[in-house]
Amino acid sequence: MNIMKFGGTSVGSAERMMAVARLAASYPGTKIIVLSAMSGTTNNLLEIADYLTKKNTDAAHEKINLLEKKYRTVAGELFTEAQARKAALELLKDHFSYIRSFTRDLFTSNELKCIVAQGELLSTALFELYCRENGVDAVMLPALNFMRIDREQEPDQFYIKENLQREMEKYPGKTFFITQGFICRNAFGEIDNLKRGGSDYSASLIGVAINASAIQIWTDIDGFHDNDPRYVQNTHAIAELSFDEAAELAYFGAKILHPSTILPAKVAGIPVIIKNTLDPEAAGSAITDKVSGKGIKAIAAKDGITAIRVKSGRMLLAYGFMRKVFEVFEIYKTPIDMITTSEISISLTIDDTTRLSRIVDDLKHYGSVETDHDQTIISAVGEGIAEGSDAARLVFTALSGIPVRMISYGGSQHNISILIPSSFKSQALNALSAHLFNH
Ligand code: ADP
Ligand code: ASP
Ligand code: MG
């Protein structure tokens, strides 16, 4: 069994949706098609939710009307036959009157998640209708019936497996399943999601739950590139990556994959294949347990980082100090990305600043605290590069002239990470590509 996940651009217009239906139907065997919302929709829904939070009902209505108009156009293009078009317009009416129903109610983060979930619910409903209209015996597996996160916001893999299997058993002999990426229920049974870009993660969790032979991530580019193509012109697709390399790159900002996608696939040993919907014949990238090639394979960047330095009056290495510092982050459930230490100080980075002021207040018990905002982690990744190769020399030569705030080497064998001010990000990415890959 295969998982085929199609991202926002891949289902971003009627034309793209039709192409996806053809592509999925042309693949042999049983498959679960995981769809994102049409590109732009999640952002639009978040804007609507933002207006509703601010009680700006008129602006929310205006946005809802615009979005509905867009979907009515898509429906018109997808369905030429009167009966099907009527069914599609009915379907849109239901979804949009549901969205409008919130303009009268008290609006909390729960309501926000219900609104945001409409993106994937809309794309899959239209896609299912289109497939059925075109003779594909498509079956919907509602993600809200099986995808679940626990109290720690972590996927409940046991629940997902049990419930997905139960859903599928309702349809013996069927081979073409459709489900929503991104959306799930939380520990309280409420509608929730796997965070931005989460459809990749859905695909991976579903792949593991049904022990798929491969998890295919279909997107708008011909594979995992050696640098971020939004900042660097001359980037190249990488044919093969190991799970560890891809996991480091995704975690450290490569937008092509949600940061948590790789781990479940790695544990289950299921290959993740990245393919281009716009060019299905292109080889793409295969992410497996195989290690291939040498040296630095790719660069990724993670923005929105805050660095915190705690400077103690006394020697840091007195035991117990680190524990106390880390405990503060544990209390406020804030993950740390990078750490460096000196004799009397420790620097750490976080990307979730929701509880920063309380973290800083607590850290002040242990010394003086400085924070630097608008930082970027640049990571160079390749199997074994932080084990005595000359990768570090190459990275620092490329970055000469760029102010470096922190360096992390040796934490993982596969990653060298550097913290720089975000204003130098583009310069750093381009310098690294020029120096490492394009000479
Ligand atoms: P989807 O909607 O299919 O999930 P995304 O926009 O989330 O697609 O991810 C694909 C985009 O990620 C690409 O179009 C590209 O701009 C960006 N990207 C960033 N880093 C990389 C990389 N290393 N390799 C390929 N694409 C990358
Ligand atoms: N639609 C969601 C988002 O835009 C999930 C995804 O695209 O993967 O973040
Ligand atoms: Mg994505």
Side-chain angles (χ1 to χ4, degrees), residues 36-37 57 59 61 299 354 407:
S36 294
T57 316
H61 268 295
I299 308 294
T354 329
I407 300 166

Side-chain angles (χ1 to χ4, degrees), residues 5 197 200 255-256:
K5 176 259 169 177
D200 303 326
K255 186 189 175 232
I256 188 159

Side-chain angles (χ1 to χ4, degrees), residues 138-433:
V139 175
M140 180 75 88
L141 300 170
L144 298 178
N145 290 358
F146 65 85
M147 190 54 76
R148 196 175 177 105
I149 49 174
D150 62 19
R151 280 168 195 270
E152 302 299 320
Q153 315 282 309
E154 290 296 324
D156 183 340
Q157 297 212 34
F158 180 77
Y159 181 99
I160 297 168
K161 186 173 177 160
E162 290 270 294
N163 286 278
L164 177 56
Q165 278 174 357
R166 189 172 309 146
E167 284 292 313
M168 291 182 77
E169 277 161 14
K170 292 183 194 162
Y171 307 100
K174 303 286 183 196
T175 58
F176 195 105
F177 296 98
I178 302 169
T179 192
Q180 298 82 19
F182 179 58
I183 62 173
C184 62
R185 289 199 187 271
N186 60 25
F188 311 103
E190 299 156 341
I191 293 182
D192 212 316
N193 62 62
L194 301 176
K195 310 227 166 74
R196 294 309 304 267
S199 298
D200 303 326
Y201 197 19
S202 302
S204 167
L205 294 167
I206 293 168
V208 171
I210 59 158
N211 196 20
S213 41
I215 297 159
Q216 300 176 2
I217 307 284
W218 289 83
T219 183
D220 58 1
I221 189 163
D222 58 350
F224 213 122
H225 278 221
D226 56 14
N227 206 331
D228 191 329
R230 293 166 302 170
Y231 293 86
V232 178
Q233 257 181 14
N234 197 6
T235 61
H236 314 95
I238 308 167
E240 293 181 343
L241 286 125
S242 69
F243 284 126
D244 289 335
E245 287 170 336
E248 294 274 358
L249 288 163
Y251 185 76
F252 285 103
K255 186 189 175 232
I256 188 159
L257 285 180
H258 179 282
S260 310
T261 310
I262 295 298
L263 187 61
K266 176 188 164 173
V267 172
I270 303 174
V272 177
I273 314 291
I274 301 185
K275 296 279 288 177
N276 188 354
T277 331
L278 306 168
D279 183 8
E281 298 308 316
S285 301
I287 301 165
T288 65
D289 56 8
K290 195 172 131 202
V291 176
S292 65
K294 271 205 154 115
I296 298 172
K297 251 199 196 153
I299 308 294
K302 184 170 172 180
D303 294 324
I305 303 293
T306 295
I308 304 168
R309 180 182 287 124
V310 189
K311 218 177 194 170
S312 160
R314 280 172 294 145
M315 226 174 103
L316 230 184
L317 296 178
Y319 49 80
F321 180 86
M322 296 281 193
R323 180 180 55 75
K324 287 181 199 146
V325 169
F326 290 144
E327 226 167 42
V328 173
F329 292 87
E330 193 184 339
I331 290 166
Y332 295 107
K333 292 191 180 342
T334 301
I336 297 167
D337 281 330
M338 276 176 83
I339 310 165
T340 55
T341 58
S342 79
E343 190 196 7
I344 55 154
S345 58
I346 175 167
S347 269
L348 322 124
T349 69
I350 58 170
D351 65 356
D352 177 0
T353 51
T354 329
R355 299 170 192 94
L356 180 63
S357 63
R358 281 182 285 164
I359 290 174
V360 169
D361 285 347
D362 283 13
L363 289 175
K364 280 183 180 158
H365 295 135
Y366 309 119
S368 65
V369 182
E370 289 164 34
T371 52
D372 289 315
H373 298 284
D374 300 325
Q375 304 288 304
T376 292
I377 298 176
I378 304 279
S379 294
V381 172
E383 286 274 351
I385 60 163
E387 277 183 325
S389 75
D390 73 343
R393 182 185 61 77
L394 291 170
V395 168
F396 287 109
T397 311
L399 293 183
S400 73
I402 291 175
V404 171
R405 165 76 170 78
M406 282 169 71
I407 300 166
S408 176
Y409 179 93
S412 140
Q413 296 140 291
H414 322 302
N415 181 337
I416 301 171
S417 287
I418 317 269
L419 188 72
I420 61 168
S422 300
S423 51
F424 286 90
K425 169 181 169 175
S426 180
Q427 187 186 333
L429 291 180
N430 279 284
L432 284 163
S433 257

